[in-house]
Amino acid sequence: RTWLEMMAPDAVVASMANGLMKQQSAHLSAAEQQHIAEYLARQPLSALKAPAPPPRCTETGRALNAAHPPITAGWGYDTKRFVTADQAGLTAADVQNLTLKWAFAFPNAMRARSHPVIGLGAVFVGSQNGTVYAFDLESGCLHWTFRASTEVRTGMVLEPWAEGSAPEVPRLFFADIFARVYAVNALTGELLWMVKVDDHPNATLTGTPAYHDGALYVPISSLEVVSAADPNYECCTFRGAVAKLDPSDGTMIWKTYSIPEEPSEQKVTPIGTRIFAPSGAPFWNSPAIDPKRNAFYVGSGENYSSPANDRSDAVFSFNLESGAENWHRQTLPGDAWNVACMMEDNPNCPEEKGPDLDYGASMLLVPLADGTDILVAGQKTGIAYGLDPDTGDVLWETRVGRGSTQGGIHFGMAAEGTRVYVPINDMNDTRDGAIYPGPALAGLHAVDAVTGEILWRNVTEDVCDGREFCDPGISAAITAMPDVVFAGHMDGWLRAYDGATGEVIWKADTTREVPTISGETARGGSMSGGAGPAIGDGHVVINSGYGLYFHMPGNALLVYGKATP
């Protein structure tokens, strides 16, 4: 109820009418849905005013510029999340003088989890209410908006091109919480196509689709883990999958499941609910592409029902052309869990009862000096692994953090050469119902990709000072540029670290209220959900706010640039 009260009444109505709560609200009339929304929001729908839009770029004379190709570092392109000096347009010395240039407040939002992409002289970003925005990077004026059917969870992927050879219609790809993938004209926001990649009623997309060689590789997850909290729900029938789409029209070329066999009835609970298995093993990280081996890599989450199998909490290698599995390597057996396990005596909780320690972060394919490669994988256990990309054999493993159901290593690492930057969340409390041994190591750490040796640690000082839902760790994906790493923390601070030493060289409090380009006030919060910093063309762009799972809400898009003399 605390979180629902933070939502605007029209957002609550939209959720019940056509959104996540449609199934639960089907028996309610429109008037009853409105009464519930107004009660929760403490205001009538008639009192809700749409915020003023930002100024249009047509009024300022600014236009999208095809001379600026997309920054192809990060989700959808290269999961090492390293931005070159030319792409960044920033040096380490510049970073120490970054200042807030402009901000935007996402309307009626309490979270901002869609990773932005920079290109065409603009920044493209999705939002909680399904609106996708194209802002001028320099000024913040608005080029266009597009409205998806529901929340946009994934990052934006702007079709790449070489400088001087932009396509006539550059395409922008993204996906929503209902497992729909979209392509829009990046110059106008016009819808080109939309496809739903999985028919399971609980299917969703969290990991950003990867674009490679004229194809989209889409990881598929689900919210069935939540539906299982209802003891009458027949848990569970979803299986993780990855699909290859033709980016010209969205045609599905192939689809491969994490679990080959379809679930079948296993037992009946004491209250008469059927239990199905095997299930789960969702893919909710962006695929890491390996053209040399004609392969890509993704990591799976837990099984949803008993018995657990060897497909959960595993790293997978698939063939780019056929989708056939090359190999998989499970690093934590026996992990079956769903939200029923957070409730007392709920018969839908699997016998294993967790521990729910998925692979949420993408794999990193790191080239080595001798011409070979190593695949670095980070798990919610807090353990990083070095794997042989040809076989999946474990070459080294290093405990970087203590681990927890919200990470350990949660949404994304980064690599600069063979130095791998590992963010650790390690929530140091029992709000998730679990107790973890050992000290929390929330903060940023560096690991040698060759040996797994820890190069340095920077455990974040807890500056929360008792603030509710505030934690010091790093859940969100991080981003590196030469000699610098940017990390958005759960305490609302965006910090830049020296890559060689781990020393904090710059920081900004994203939770303070700031004026925006539209005249509204924006305020950030915790940072998570895969939306890490986007760096490019002399700017650092960050979403701030994660009003989910006991974290600080917020609605801010913040754009930093070099201070003017």
Side-chain angles (χ1 to χ4, degrees):
R1 176 170 170 174
T2 299
W3 299 113
L4 290 171
E5 289 176 347
M6 296 179 186
M7 297 177 67
D10 65 330
V12 178
V13 168
S15 180
M16 289 189 287
N18 295 297
L20 284 175
M21 300 302 294
K22 183 176 181 179
Q23 179 180 349
Q24 292 87 343
S25 307
H27 65 291
L28 298 172
S29 68
E32 289 170 331
Q33 291 179 11
Q34 179 175 333
H35 289 323
I36 291 172
E38 292 176 335
Y39 170 75
L40 289 169
R42 304 286 197 269
Q43 62 174 311
L45 277 171
S46 59
L48 191 69
K49 295 181 180 180
R56 286 278 175 175
C57 292
T58 51
E59 302 166 7
T60 62
R62 300 189 68 88
L64 291 165
N65 188 349
H68 293 277
I71 305 301
T72 54
W75 302 147
Y77 309 106
D78 184 351
T79 56
K80 291 192 295 297
R81 301 186 57 79
F82 178 77
V83 183
T84 66
D86 287 344
Q87 290 175 320
L90 295 168
T91 66
D94 293 328
V95 168
Q96 299 178 52
N97 297 302
L98 288 173
T99 186
L100 184 65
K101 292 186 69 172
W102 59 268
F104 176 70
F106 293 106
N108 305 323
M110 62 179 182
R111 59 184 177 268
R113 60 178 295 171
S114 172
H115 193 291
V117 68
I118 295 171
L120 293 168
V123 56
F124 302 87
V125 66
S127 67
Q128 183 179 342
N129 72 2
T131 303
V132 174
Y133 299 87
F135 294 106
D136 181 77
L137 181 61
E138 186 67 34
S139 69
C141 67
L142 182 63
H143 289 290
W144 54 257
T145 62
F146 170 84
R147 188 70 182 266
S149 58
T150 187
E151 180 181 3
V152 175
R153 288 160 64 93
T154 73
M156 304 283 108
V157 181
L158 184 57
E159 176 184 7
W161 66 86
E163 191 169 346
S165 60
E168 183 178 348
V169 180
R171 294 168 294 198
L172 181 72
F173 306 103
F174 53 89
D176 70 16
I177 200 171
F178 283 168
R180 297 184 178 98
V181 180
Y182 299 78
V184 302
N185 184 332
L187 297 175
T188 65
E190 175 190 3
L191 178 66
L192 301 175
W193 54 259
M194 183 272 289
V195 297
K196 188 173 175 64
V197 293
D198 197 289
D199 291 331
H200 194 284
N202 287 284
T204 191
L205 299 178
T206 300
T208 300
Y211 184 98
H212 172 70
D213 195 24
L216 279 175
Y217 297 87
V218 183
I220 304 171
S221 182
S222 88
L223 299 172
E224 191 178 29
V225 68
V226 178
S227 298
D230 179 357
N232 295 308
Y233 181 83
E234 295 186 334
C235 174
C236 280
T237 55
F238 173 83
R239 296 174 290 159
V242 64
K244 181 178 181 178
L245 304 184
D246 182 336
S248 65
D249 58 10
T251 299
M252 185 177 293
I253 299 169
W254 51 252
K255 183 177 182 180
T256 300
Y257 289 93
S258 59
I259 301 172
E261 62 268 34
E262 294 187 6
S264 60
E265 184 176 335
Q266 301 294 310
K267 67 175 185 178
V268 177
T269 70
I271 66 169
T273 304
R274 296 185 298 170
I275 299 295
F276 292 83
S279 66
F283 293 133
W284 51 279
N285 40 71
S286 189
I289 305 295
D290 183 355
K292 182 163 63 174
R293 294 172 180 80
N294 196 33
F296 68 93
Y297 311 97
V298 285
S300 66
E302 82 280 16
N303 290 118
Y304 293 167
S305 52
S306 294
N309 63 14
D310 68 345
R311 318 295 287 187
S312 59
D313 298 354
V315 179
F316 288 75
S317 170
F318 294 106
N319 182 276
L320 284 168
E321 296 302 320
S322 67
E325 182 184 319
N326 298 318
W327 53 259
H328 75 277
R329 177 67 56 190
Q330 185 178 60
T331 55
L332 181 67
D335 187 3
W337 184 91
N338 61 56
V339 172
C341 298
M342 300 178 71
M343 304 170 181
E344 188 174 354
D345 297 327
N346 189 320
N348 268 356
C349 176
E351 296 173 5
E352 294 87 347
K353 296 184 179 180
D356 182 28
L357 296 174
D358 318 38
Y359 277 100
S362 291
M363 312 300 119
L364 279 59
L365 185 67
V366 179
L368 305 181
D370 62 1
T372 63
D373 304 298
I374 193 164
L375 189 67
V376 179
Q379 195 171 354
K380 283 164 58 176
T381 55
I383 298 174
Y385 297 90
L387 304 178
D388 183 329
D390 291 306
T391 64
D393 291 342
V394 177
L395 305 177
W396 55 259
E397 67 176 85
T398 301
R399 176 164 290 283
V400 186
R402 180 201 58 196
S404 77
T405 57
Q406 297 195 46
I409 305 164
H410 205 187
F411 275 102
M413 305 175 289
E416 180 178 3
T418 57
R419 184 192 298 146
V420 176
Y421 302 110
V422 183
I424 295 293
N425 193 19
D426 278 5
M427 286 178 58
N428 195 21
D429 59 29
T430 58
R431 286 178 294 188
D432 57 6
I435 299 174
Y436 304 95
L441 296 171
L444 188 64
H445 313 268
V447 172
D448 185 344
V450 180
T451 65
E453 174 190 1
I454 293 178
L455 302 175
W456 52 254
R457 291 186 181 276
N458 189 330
V459 177
T460 306
E461 178 186 1
D462 190 345
V463 296
C464 290
D465 194 27
R467 187 166 28 161
E468 190 174 26
F469 306 132
C470 179
D471 290 281
I474 308 172
S475 170
I478 59 175
T479 309
M481 55 174 272
D483 306 317
V484 181
V485 192
F486 285 88
H489 288 243
M490 299 299 277
D491 60 12
W493 283 84
L494 173 62
R495 295 175 173 91
Y497 294 80
D498 183 289
T501 66
E503 176 189 0
V504 175
I505 60 174
W506 175 87
K507 61 183 178 180
D509 182 4
T510 71
T511 66
R512 64 184 180 90
E513 292 188 348
V514 294
T516 71
I517 50 178
S518 60
E520 303 292 320
T521 298
R523 183 172 185 169
S526 300
M527 286 171 271
S528 186
I535 305 171
D537 295 345
H539 295 78
V540 177
V541 183
I542 189 74
N543 276 328
S544 183
Y546 197 63
L548 283 171
Y549 312 126
F550 309 108
H551 303 306
M552 296 186 294
N555 67 345
L557 174 70
L558 304 168
V559 180
Y560 298 88
K562 291 181 281 190
T564 54

